Structures are given as C-alpha cells and as structure tokens.
Amino acid sequence: MEERKSKLEALRYHLAEGATQASKGDFVDNFSMDSLINALDAES
C-alpha cells in the first residue's frame, strides 16, 4: 500500500512539473508514457 502511495505522489509531482513546463511552452520531444512509467518504476 505504501509503495503505491509513493508512486502516486511521484506521478503527481511529474504531472505538475509537466503542466508548469507546458504553460511556459516548454515541451519534451519524443515523450512517451511508457518511458515515464519505467522511470517511476526504477525510482522505487
């Protein structure tokens, strides 16, 4: 349960970071959800 909560917190952080970047017009080329999920899995 704690691991899932930690992953959700990390996802929320990354989503907020992305929203801030997007509002500035900063976009990442070659973005994929699979890459994000793999990176989050690697953090835990």
Side-chain angles (χ1 to χ4, degrees), residues 15-38:
L15 288 172
E17 182 179 38
T20 299
Q21 290 173 339
S23 70
K24 295 177 186 177
D26 296 333
F27 296 97
V28 177
D29 293 330
N30 301 321
F31 172 81
S32 77
M33 285 301 293
D34 288 334
S35 295
L36 175 60
I37 291 169
N38 290 336

Side-chain angles (χ1 to χ4, degrees), residues 3-17:
E3 180 181 340
R4 183 175 179 190
K5 184 177 179 182
S6 176
K7 286 183 179 184
L8 285 173
E9 289 174 3
L11 179 58
R12 287 184 182 111
Y13 169 80
H14 288 288
L15 288 172
E17 182 179 38

